[in-house]
Amino acid sequence: MRRPWPYPRVVGHRGGGTLAPENTLAGIRKAAAVGLAAVEFDVMLSADSVPVLIHDETLERTTDGRGAVAATPYARLAELDAGAWFGREFHGEPMPTLEQAGKLCVALDLWANVEIKPAPGFERQTGVIAAKMAQALWRGVSPAPLLSSFHPASLEAARESAPGLARGFLTERIEPGWGKTASALGCASLHCNCEYLTQAQVDEVRAAGYWLLCYTVNDPDSARKLFSWGVDAIFTDRPDLIGPDFA
């Protein structure tokens, strides 16, 4: 039996989407400021296994640092500027830890989709650490976050470490055999690229009992179409165009 989607239907991608630097506390605050009730962000480990918010495996695109995240100790990451690249007003914005982001989400009453984004070779370790920390940060808080990942090993480790937290299987396209993978990992949801989704696939996923989430939806007409098909939630970079009351 498919459970109704219990969470917000519009989710800020990497925090506040294009309204603030991605994967920062400023982005999470911006999402709340424009009225969103949910955010998504990426979690990767530093060289000393501190879970931090960043999408890329390297530092150059979104910070003033250089090199691999997984090869850089947290003390060094904490010194980097993760906001100046986006705009002068965000100069000095730090790279947050999962602990900082989780506490802010709880304080702002934001639901969170925590994407486990491991560097190669750290799939299980990232899943374990992210899941355990999320479980601790949201203990006694409702609704609890959803953990998602493209990496089955990360989701398997997350299930073992925090079995009570829901999990989502991320994929670019919905390929044959997706259901076997999602079932083996005990997932509650499937997340896919909206560009490749069809109505028939939506029907298939829903009939199989899974929630369906789509990234990254930045056009209101596309959002309306996806919701009309039965998609449960969308991730957007444009909460200024697709706001909390859109769905």
mmCIF file of all heavy atoms in Angstrom, residues 162-184:
data_model
loop_
_atom_site.group_PDB
_atom_site.id
_atom_site.type_symbol
_atom_site.label_atom_id
_atom_site.label_comp_id
_atom_site.label_asym_id
_atom_site.label_seq_id
_atom_site.Cartn_x
_atom_site.Cartn_y
_atom_site.Cartn_z
ATOM 1 N N ALA A 162 21.104 3.873 10.787
ATOM 2 C CA ALA A 162 19.918 4.601 11.263
ATOM 3 C C ALA A 162 18.693 4.045 10.552
ATOM 4 O O ALA A 162 18.114 4.700 9.685
ATOM 5 C CB ALA A 162 20.072 6.096 11.002
ATOM 6 N N PRO A 163 18.296 2.829 10.889
ATOM 7 C CA PRO A 163 17.201 2.176 10.163
ATOM 8 C C PRO A 163 15.877 2.915 10.257
ATOM 9 O O PRO A 163 14.999 2.713 9.409
ATOM 10 C CB PRO A 163 17.123 0.794 10.816
ATOM 11 C CG PRO A 163 17.762 0.953 12.161
ATOM 12 C CD PRO A 163 18.839 1.974 11.961
ATOM 13 N N GLY A 164 15.731 3.780 11.240
ATOM 14 C CA GLY A 164 14.472 4.488 11.396
ATOM 15 C C GLY A 164 14.291 5.675 10.481
ATOM 16 O O GLY A 164 13.186 6.230 10.386
ATOM 17 N N LEU A 165 15.359 6.092 9.785
ATOM 18 C CA LEU A 165 15.266 7.228 8.871
ATOM 19 C C LEU A 165 14.936 6.739 7.462
ATOM 20 O O LEU A 165 15.539 5.780 6.974
ATOM 21 C CB LEU A 165 16.580 8.012 8.848
ATOM 22 C CG LEU A 165 16.968 8.717 10.141
ATOM 23 C CD1 LEU A 165 18.270 9.500 9.938
ATOM 24 C CD2 LEU A 165 15.861 9.649 10.626
ATOM 25 N N ALA A 166 13.987 7.391 6.822
ATOM 26 C CA ALA A 166 13.604 7.016 5.463
ATOM 27 C C ALA A 166 14.748 7.288 4.496
ATOM 28 O O ALA A 166 15.543 8.215 4.684
ATOM 29 C CB ALA A 166 12.359 7.789 5.042
ATOM 30 N N ARG A 167 14.804 6.474 3.430
ATOM 31 C CA ARG A 167 15.867 6.597 2.444
ATOM 32 C C ARG A 167 15.278 6.724 1.044
ATOM 33 O O ARG A 167 14.218 6.161 0.746
ATOM 34 C CB ARG A 167 16.789 5.370 2.495
ATOM 35 C CG ARG A 167 17.599 5.286 3.778
ATOM 36 C CD ARG A 167 18.286 3.942 3.909
ATOM 37 N NE ARG A 167 17.334 2.839 3.919
ATOM 38 C CZ ARG A 167 16.584 2.506 4.967
ATOM 39 N NH1 ARG A 167 16.688 3.202 6.108
ATOM 40 N NH2 ARG A 167 15.731 1.497 4.900
ATOM 41 N N GLY A 168 16.018 7.461 0.181
ATOM 42 C CA GLY A 168 15.607 7.631 -1.203
ATOM 43 C C GLY A 168 16.726 7.252 -2.151
ATOM 44 O O GLY A 168 17.886 7.618 -1.927
ATOM 45 N N PHE A 169 16.401 6.518 -3.204
ATOM 46 C CA PHE A 169 17.371 6.093 -4.210
ATOM 47 C C PHE A 169 17.400 7.120 -5.336
ATOM 48 O O PHE A 169 16.402 7.355 -6.007
ATOM 49 C CB PHE A 169 16.999 4.708 -4.740
ATOM 50 C CG PHE A 169 17.877 4.218 -5.855
ATOM 51 C CD1 PHE A 169 19.255 4.342 -5.790
ATOM 52 C CD2 PHE A 169 17.315 3.624 -6.975
ATOM 53 C CE1 PHE A 169 20.067 3.891 -6.827
ATOM 54 C CE2 PHE A 169 18.109 3.159 -8.011
ATOM 55 C CZ PHE A 169 19.499 3.294 -7.943
ATOM 56 N N LEU A 170 18.553 7.739 -5.523
ATOM 57 C CA LEU A 170 18.747 8.753 -6.563
ATOM 58 C C LEU A 170 19.245 8.110 -7.852
ATOM 59 O O LEU A 170 20.150 7.265 -7.828
ATOM 60 C CB LEU A 170 19.772 9.784 -6.090
ATOM 61 C CG LEU A 170 19.251 11.058 -5.436
ATOM 62 C CD1 LEU A 170 20.366 11.728 -4.641
ATOM 63 C CD2 LEU A 170 18.731 12.008 -6.502
ATOM 64 N N THR A 171 18.663 8.534 -8.975
ATOM 65 C CA THR A 171 19.102 8.044 -10.270
ATOM 66 C C THR A 171 18.860 9.133 -11.310
ATOM 67 O O THR A 171 17.942 9.948 -11.162
ATOM 68 C CB THR A 171 18.363 6.754 -10.653
ATOM 69 O OG1 THR A 171 18.852 6.278 -11.909
ATOM 70 C CG2 THR A 171 16.861 6.964 -10.751
ATOM 71 N N GLU A 172 19.703 9.170 -12.334
ATOM 72 C CA GLU A 172 19.507 10.151 -13.404
ATOM 73 C C GLU A 172 18.254 9.801 -14.210
ATOM 74 O O GLU A 172 17.374 10.620 -14.405
ATOM 75 C CB GLU A 172 20.738 10.162 -14.318
ATOM 76 C CG GLU A 172 20.667 11.180 -15.442
ATOM 77 C CD GLU A 172 20.975 12.600 -15.026
ATOM 78 O OE1 GLU A 172 21.276 12.836 -13.839
ATOM 79 O OE2 GLU A 172 20.904 13.483 -15.884
ATOM 80 N N ARG A 173 18.192 8.563 -14.655
ATOM 81 C CA ARG A 173 17.044 8.064 -15.409
ATOM 82 C C ARG A 173 16.478 6.846 -14.678
ATOM 83 O O ARG A 173 17.213 6.117 -14.024
ATOM 84 C CB ARG A 173 17.456 7.646 -16.820
ATOM 85 C CG ARG A 173 18.045 8.753 -17.680
ATOM 86 C CD ARG A 173 18.597 8.161 -18.966
ATOM 87 N NE ARG A 173 19.261 9.136 -19.807
ATOM 88 C CZ ARG A 173 18.704 9.730 -20.857
ATOM 89 N NH1 ARG A 173 17.462 9.420 -21.197
ATOM 90 N NH2 ARG A 173 19.374 10.612 -21.577
ATOM 91 N N ILE A 174 15.194 6.620 -14.849
ATOM 92 C CA ILE A 174 14.574 5.425 -14.281
ATOM 93 C C ILE A 174 14.810 4.277 -15.251
ATOM 94 O O ILE A 174 14.177 4.195 -16.306
ATOM 95 C CB ILE A 174 13.071 5.654 -14.031
ATOM 96 C CG1 ILE A 174 12.876 6.795 -13.027
ATOM 97 C CG2 ILE A 174 12.417 4.373 -13.514
ATOM 98 C CD1 ILE A 174 11.421 7.126 -12.757
ATOM 99 N N GLU A 175 15.747 3.417 -14.892
ATOM 100 C CA GLU A 175 16.140 2.310 -15.755
ATOM 101 C C GLU A 175 15.449 1.017 -15.305
ATOM 102 O O GLU A 175 15.029 0.892 -14.161
ATOM 103 C CB GLU A 175 17.663 2.113 -15.696
ATOM 104 C CG GLU A 175 18.478 3.348 -16.053
ATOM 105 C CD GLU A 175 18.536 3.608 -17.551
ATOM 106 O OE1 GLU A 175 17.884 2.864 -18.309
ATOM 107 O OE2 GLU A 175 19.236 4.569 -17.946
ATOM 108 N N PRO A 176 15.353 0.044 -16.220
ATOM 109 C CA PRO A 176 14.815 -1.258 -15.821
ATOM 110 C C PRO A 176 15.608 -1.816 -14.636
ATOM 111 O O PRO A 176 16.822 -1.715 -14.586
ATOM 112 C CB PRO A 176 15.011 -2.119 -17.083
ATOM 113 C CG PRO A 176 14.994 -1.130 -18.220
ATOM 114 C CD PRO A 176 15.670 0.094 -17.674
ATOM 115 N N GLY A 177 14.906 -2.385 -13.692
ATOM 116 C CA GLY A 177 15.559 -2.933 -12.510
ATOM 117 C C GLY A 177 15.654 -1.970 -11.350
ATOM 118 O O GLY A 177 16.156 -2.339 -10.275
ATOM 119 N N TRP A 178 15.151 -0.748 -11.527
ATOM 120 C CA TRP A 178 15.227 0.238 -10.441
ATOM 121 C C TRP A 178 14.513 -0.268 -9.187
ATOM 122 O O TRP A 178 14.974 -0.036 -8.063
ATOM 123 C CB TRP A 178 14.614 1.568 -10.880
ATOM 124 C CG TRP A 178 13.122 1.512 -11.055
ATOM 125 C CD1 TRP A 178 12.434 1.266 -12.212
ATOM 126 C CD2 TRP A 178 12.126 1.659 -10.034
ATOM 127 N NE1 TRP A 178 11.084 1.246 -11.979
ATOM 128 C CE2 TRP A 178 10.858 1.488 -10.658
ATOM 129 C CE3 TRP A 178 12.178 1.911 -8.671
ATOM 130 C CZ2 TRP A 178 9.670 1.568 -9.955
ATOM 131 C CZ3 TRP A 178 10.983 1.988 -7.962
ATOM 132 C CH2 TRP A 178 9.743 1.825 -8.606
ATOM 133 N N GLY A 179 13.393 -0.951 -9.394
ATOM 134 C CA GLY A 179 12.612 -1.412 -8.253
ATOM 135 C C GLY A 179 13.345 -2.438 -7.419
ATOM 136 O O GLY A 179 13.228 -2.450 -6.190
ATOM 137 N N LYS A 180 14.128 -3.286 -8.067
ATOM 138 C CA LYS A 180 14.900 -4.290 -7.343
ATOM 139 C C LYS A 180 15.927 -3.628 -6.445
ATOM 140 O O LYS A 180 16.117 -4.019 -5.289
ATOM 141 C CB LYS A 180 15.586 -5.222 -8.334
ATOM 142 C CG LYS A 180 16.352 -6.359 -7.690
ATOM 143 C CD LYS A 180 16.952 -7.292 -8.740
ATOM 144 C CE LYS A 180 17.711 -8.434 -8.101
ATOM 145 N NZ LYS A 180 18.302 -9.351 -9.119
ATOM 146 N N THR A 181 16.579 -2.579 -6.980
ATOM 147 C CA THR A 181 17.571 -1.850 -6.187
ATOM 148 C C THR A 181 16.921 -1.128 -5.019
ATOM 149 O O THR A 181 17.385 -1.215 -3.876
ATOM 150 C CB THR A 181 18.321 -0.834 -7.064
ATOM 151 O OG1 THR A 181 18.954 -1.518 -8.142
ATOM 152 C CG2 THR A 181 19.371 -0.082 -6.256
ATOM 153 N N ALA A 182 15.839 -0.407 -5.305
ATOM 154 C CA ALA A 182 15.156 0.336 -4.249
ATOM 155 C C ALA A 182 14.643 -0.585 -3.154
ATOM 156 O O ALA A 182 14.728 -0.273 -1.965
ATOM 157 C CB ALA A 182 14.009 1.146 -4.844
ATOM 158 N N SER A 183 14.131 -1.741 -3.550
ATOM 159 C CA SER A 183 13.615 -2.690 -2.571
ATOM 160 C C SER A 183 14.736 -3.274 -1.724
ATOM 161 O O SER A 183 14.605 -3.393 -0.496
ATOM 162 C CB SER A 183 12.867 -3.812 -3.292
ATOM 163 O OG SER A 183 12.430 -4.797 -2.391
ATOM 164 N N ALA A 184 15.856 -3.634 -2.379
ATOM 165 C CA ALA A 184 16.976 -4.230 -1.655
ATOM 166 C C ALA A 184 17.547 -3.276 -0.617
ATOM 167 O O ALA A 184 18.059 -3.705 0.420
ATOM 168 C CB ALA A 184 18.063 -4.650 -2.637
#
